[in-house]
Amino acid sequence: MSSYQGVIVSDPWLQSQFTQVELRTLKSKFINVRTQHGRVTLGDLPPVFSKLKAFTEMFNEDEIKTVLGESNSDMGEEIDFEGFLRAYLNLQTHAIEKSGGTKSSFLKATTTTFHHAINESEKASYVAHINNYLAEDKFLKDFLPIDPATDALFDLAKNGVLLCKLINVAVPGTTDERAINTKKVLNPWERNENHTLCLNSAKAIGCTVVNIGTQDLAEGRPHLILGLISQIIKIQVLADLNLKKTPQLVELVDDSQDVEELLGLAPEKVLLKWMNFHLKKVGYEKQVTNFSTDLKDGEAYAYLLNALAPEHSTPSTLDTSDPTERANMVLQQAEKLECKRFLTPKDIVEGSPNLNLAFVAQIFHNRNGLSTESKNMSYAEMMTDDVETSREERCFRLWINSLGISTYVNNLFEDVRNGWVMLEVLDKLFPGTVNWKQANKPPIKMPFKKVENCNQVINIGKDLNFSLVNVAGNDVVAGNKKLIVAFLWQLMRFSMLQLLKNLRSFSHGKEITDADILNWANNKVKKSGRTTQMESFKDKSLSNGVFFLELLTAVEPRVVDWNLVTKGETDEDKKSNATYIISVARKIGCSIFLLPEDVIEVNQKMILTLTASIMYFCLQQQGEGPDDSDLASEVSRLSVDGSVSDAAPSPQAED
């Protein structure tokens, strides 16, 4: 593998619009053009952009030239790399508009940097949700209720506290609230810490935040804040729509094969399946396929509520010919089931997909009408994973979604079986490694096409020197969980080590090893005047969390409040420390996906990722300073001894 260098852009906002992988890829394209022509002009860009995956199916060269010409009449004007990036964003804006994505989508779980019209109904719904769930919060109660008719929501979001608290409502325990800066007046540094904690915590629950930065939140940019809030709320309302949380869902299918298909469905699809299941039982002949046009006339809602709550049903709901009147009656009936009115009759009639989805999910939570007596119930229970496998599935699923690939992963072990997701991940991490001409895009009917995709995945893994002895694409297609976890772990670890190597371009190309990471952490703590050390990444003494709190303090002295730290002697104290460690690490900028249990139980893989993430943050921060000599000195002191206890060999061969 070639070395991928870190790319720094002088404009912080522009930097925040791209991942480092995207910046490296685009920088490479820019340099290639400059090498060929001696300089780069707007006129040079159409043939370059037309070959990029983001645009190849959307524009031809002439169309790209027209788009770029609209913003600058002089196509011969020389541009620098930042101008190249701005031209890319300009074209991407047109691509989104051309595809019809002019509004932020609650259903697609995306957050983009482009200007969208604010949907006032959705804004009002989100405000009502916040007012309801956070009304008693000690810090926020002074600012609630928010008036949806004003911009108070965006102003309140500027200090980062609201979004951090909302994430905890969606997935309780994600953020240790002791790590949130909650003073009445925050300085810019404290506010930035809150936003960093918010974005890393959002990624940790499954939000896609590739194109949003801390400055966007600090400025209270409405469409980005609404886009992020919509994702957080979506995760909350769809949390129980899986067999683990609601095993009664097996009633929706007839046999064990259908149970496997149910496992692979996105929560939205499960919700539609549930809705149609009840509608069919009461004689509703239409099939509901979406949360928009199929629900506009209100009939499906009327039938659904009659099926779930016949004691509250009235014939007049179906007798009326006025859709708005029927929608109003539907909402009145739903309120009797304690479904709070977060949407209006107008939202139903106009077919608001986001609000309808939330409304149907709320009905499901309050009364799903499913039975615990099912012939498939025992089969569903047999399919549940052990605790460690479940945690690893969660970690890799959230990590993949955080990369911002086009496919959203809902169930890791099901969604990777056709090979497409893994190809997308490999292409995102290592551009150019995937031969897309030999890839088969879903939906894939023929099994051998899935095998072709997975064979390419395995071959790329072998090119990266992953340990894949006697492994073939068939194993992935068959859903071999052990193999899938092993491959993804090597992929995550390799990309992590590559990131660290990118910060060491001056170190003669030496590969980073697990031993380097361990020795760096021990040296960092020792230099800070503390004596705690770790022998390996599965050193049981790490379970009390003290070492990592000392490491975080050594990296950023002001970030740990030692008054909140325990000795970690009891299970409760260990969990308190572990929860605090994760939030503090996210607060300084570490993108991590482990759980407190991974620290308490000293999960070797997760401990390595935590340590490496802290190391990456530290070296990156020092590398961005005015003097790189300290960084060079610190890196040069890293041990080259690879004999660290229990540290696995690097997946890439040492030179």
Side-chain angles (χ1 to χ4, degrees):
M1 286 294 299
S2 59
S3 175
Y4 298 104
Q5 303 302 318
V7 178
I8 304 299
V9 179
S10 62
D11 183 341
W13 176 86
L14 195 57
Q15 177 94 33
S16 73
Q17 308 311 299
F18 300 91
T19 66
Q20 191 59 226
V21 172
E22 290 168 336
L23 283 172
R24 288 196 297 264
T25 303
L26 293 174
K27 183 76 176 218
S28 174
K29 302 293 183 185
F30 177 81
I31 291 174
N32 284 341
V33 175
R34 191 174 60 189
T35 301
Q36 291 176 12
H37 303 286
R39 63 183 194 134
V40 181
T41 67
L42 284 173
D44 295 324
L45 303 190
V48 176
F49 285 170
S50 67
K51 295 177 182 177
L52 295 177
K53 186 181 176 185
F55 306 129
T56 185
E57 296 179 2
M58 194 70 66
F59 302 110
N60 58 37
E61 284 190 34
D62 290 338
E63 290 171 326
I64 293 174
K65 184 176 181 180
T66 300
V67 170
L68 298 180
E70 290 174 356
S71 58
N72 194 323
S73 58
D74 184 6
M75 295 296 286
E77 178 185 353
E78 183 175 359
I79 58 172
D80 58 12
F81 180 55
E82 291 193 11
F84 183 90
L85 294 178
R86 293 182 191 282
Y88 180 95
L89 290 178
N90 178 27
L91 186 59
Q92 196 169 43
T93 302
H94 283 76
I96 287 178
E97 292 174 352
K98 187 174 181 180
S99 65
T102 56
K103 293 184 179 180
S104 58
S105 173
F106 185 73
L107 293 174
K108 292 185 181 299
T110 58
T111 301
T112 61
T113 57
F114 309 106
H115 292 286
H116 302 290
I118 299 300
N119 186 311
E120 292 297 332
S121 290
E122 290 187 17
K123 175 186 170 186
S125 175
Y126 303 155
V127 166
H129 183 93
I130 290 168
N131 288 339
N132 179 54
Y133 281 94
L134 292 171
E136 301 303 318
D137 183 85
K138 292 181 180 179
F139 178 83
L140 293 173
K141 65 182 181 181
D142 293 339
F143 304 94
L144 302 180
I146 300 169
D147 182 353
T150 69
D151 287 336
L153 171 63
F154 310 122
D155 291 334
L156 184 55
K158 288 180 180 179
N159 66 12
V161 177
L162 172 66
L163 295 174
C164 286
K165 299 270 190 178
L166 192 60
I167 288 170
N168 266 358
V169 169
V171 184
T174 299
T175 301
D176 189 327
E177 297 198 0
R178 296 174 297 175
I180 305 173
N181 300 316
T182 54
K183 295 191 307 185
K184 292 294 183 182
V185 179
L186 300 177
N187 61 41
W189 180 274
E190 293 166 329
R191 192 164 54 243
N192 185 71
E193 283 184 336
N194 280 352
H195 293 316
T196 303
L197 175 60
C198 164
L199 291 176
N200 282 320
S201 297
K203 284 194 285 187
I205 67 170
C207 295
T208 301
V209 295
V210 169
N211 291 320
I212 183 170
T214 57
Q215 188 60 30
D216 299 315
L217 300 182
E219 293 173 1
R221 298 176 68 185
H223 70 285
L224 289 176
I225 289 174
L226 281 185
L228 183 54
I229 289 174
S230 72
Q231 291 190 72
I232 295 169
I233 294 176
K234 175 189 173 183
I235 288 168
Q236 179 184 346
V237 300
L238 298 180
D240 293 339
L241 282 153
N242 59 72
L243 284 178
K244 182 174 290 186
K245 294 285 186 66
T246 313
Q248 302 96 302
L249 285 167
V250 294
E251 190 180 352
L252 304 182
V253 298
D254 295 324
D255 55 40
S256 59
Q257 185 174 356
D258 290 336
V259 172
E260 290 190 28
E261 292 179 5
L262 185 63
L263 280 169
L265 287 181
E268 303 96 303
K269 299 293 186 182
V270 174
L271 199 57
L272 286 172
K273 193 175 186 68
W274 167 80
M275 192 174 187
N276 285 313
F277 172 79
H278 285 299
L279 291 175
K280 183 179 180 180
K281 287 202 300 186
V282 293
Y284 187 70
E285 296 180 355
K286 299 177 184 177
Q287 186 84 357
V288 178
T289 60
N290 58 63
F291 293 101
S292 181
T293 55
D294 289 356
L295 300 176
K296 281 186 175 183
D297 59 13
E299 282 190 1
Y301 277 137
Y303 275 97
L304 178 65
L305 291 172
N306 286 348
L308 296 173
E311 71 275 20
H312 299 310
S313 65
T314 58
S316 56
T317 308
L318 288 169
D319 292 341
T320 181
S321 59
D322 182 0
T324 301
E325 182 180 352
R326 181 183 295 121
N328 188 49
M329 296 172 73
V330 162
L331 292 176
Q332 290 175 0
Q333 190 174 345
E335 284 186 350
K336 295 176 182 178
L337 295 178
E338 299 184 357
C339 294
K340 294 185 180 295
R341 186 181 288 200
F342 290 159
L343 79 169
T344 66
K346 181 182 177 183
D347 297 324
I348 293 177
V349 173
E350 292 184 350
S352 171
N354 296 347
L355 300 185
N356 276 313
L357 170 66
F359 182 52
V360 176
Q362 192 176 39
I363 296 173
F364 175 87
H365 287 305
N366 288 13
R367 186 172 298 192
N368 62 42
L370 299 173
S371 171
T372 56
E373 299 295 328
S374 172
K375 62 182 180 181
N376 287 324
M377 187 70 74
S378 59
Y379 184 81
E381 292 169 353
M382 288 171 58
M383 296 188 71
T384 57
D385 298 318
D386 62 77
V387 174
E388 185 174 350
T389 301
S390 295
R391 288 211 301 263
E392 289 185 333
E393 186 277 339
R394 173 192 173 278
C395 171
F396 293 126
R397 169 168 46 85
L398 296 174
W399 172 64
I400 289 172
N401 287 333
S402 76
L403 299 175
I405 64 173
S406 58
T407 303
Y408 192 83
V409 178
N410 293 288
N411 183 302
L412 179 72
F413 296 128
E414 291 299 316
D415 292 352
V416 302
R417 289 174 60 180
N418 62 20
W420 184 262
V421 167
M422 285 193 178
L423 289 174
E424 285 189 284
V425 172
L426 287 164
D427 187 64
K428 175 68 75 170
L429 295 175
F430 312 110
T433 57
V434 176
N435 184 344
W436 289 108
K437 292 181 179 179
Q438 295 180 5
N440 305 291
K441 188 174 183 178
I444 305 173
K445 300 293 184 181
M446 304 301 291
F448 76 90
K449 294 289 186 181
K450 298 178 184 179
V451 175
E452 286 179 354
N453 282 353
C454 293
N455 280 339
Q456 184 175 179
V457 168
I458 298 301
N459 288 335
I460 294 172
K462 289 178 178 178
D463 289 341
L464 296 174
N465 290 325
F466 290 180
S467 177
L468 295 168
V469 180
N470 297 323
V471 175
N474 276 321
D475 298 309
V476 179
V477 177
N480 185 318
K481 294 180 181 180
K482 184 177 180 180
L483 182 149
I484 291 169
V485 165
F487 183 91
L488 288 173
W489 163 239
Q490 292 185 79
L491 184 57
M492 175 189 273
R493 182 175 171 277
F494 182 83
S495 64
M496 179 176 59
L497 295 177
Q498 195 70 24
L499 281 172
L500 288 169
K501 181 185 176 184
N502 291 342
L503 297 174
R504 304 180 56 195
S505 58
F506 41 78
S507 63
H508 308 293
K510 177 188 175 296
E511 300 293 337
I512 290 283
T513 67
D514 294 1
D516 290 331
I517 298 171
L518 184 143
N519 289 327
W520 173 86
N522 280 331
N523 290 337
K524 196 71 179 176
V525 171
K526 186 177 180 179
K527 282 175 57 182
S528 70
R530 299 177 184 268
T531 58
T532 307
Q533 298 281 276
M534 64 171 166
E535 293 182 1
S536 72
F537 293 116
K538 62 178 184 180
D539 184 340
K540 292 301 180 183
S541 69
L542 297 174
S543 66
N544 64 19
V546 173
F547 176 81
F548 287 108
L549 289 165
E550 292 185 348
L551 177 60
L552 287 163
T553 300
V555 167
E556 180 52 71
R558 59 178 295 280
V559 79
V560 174
D561 182 349
W562 282 93
N563 294 320
L564 303 175
V565 177
T566 73
K567 293 182 179 180
E569 294 175 346
T570 67
D571 290 344
E572 183 179 349
D573 287 348
K574 287 180 179 179
K575 185 165 186 179
S576 175
N577 284 354
T579 304
Y580 190 49
I581 288 166
I582 292 170
S583 288
V584 169
R586 288 175 179 151
K587 181 177 179 176
I588 65 173
C590 298
S591 181
I592 49 179
F593 303 95
L594 73 166
L595 293 170
E597 289 77 11
D598 293 315
V599 178
I600 297 167
E601 297 172 13
V602 194
N603 181 313
Q604 184 178 3
K605 295 175 184 176
M606 298 301 108
I607 293 295
L608 172 59
T609 63
L610 173 62
T611 312
S613 296
I614 297 172
M615 179 181 178
Y616 179 70
F617 165 78
C618 179
L619 299 185
Q620 186 182 45
Q621 292 300 109
Q622 292 181 5
E624 289 174 356
D627 184 4
D628 283 348
S629 60
D630 289 342
L631 172 61
S633 175
E634 181 161 15
V635 172
S636 68
R637 285 196 298 271
L638 290 175
S639 171
V640 295
D641 178 16
S643 60
V644 61
S645 299
D646 304 306
S650 171
Q652 182 171 348
E654 296 286 328
D655 292 337

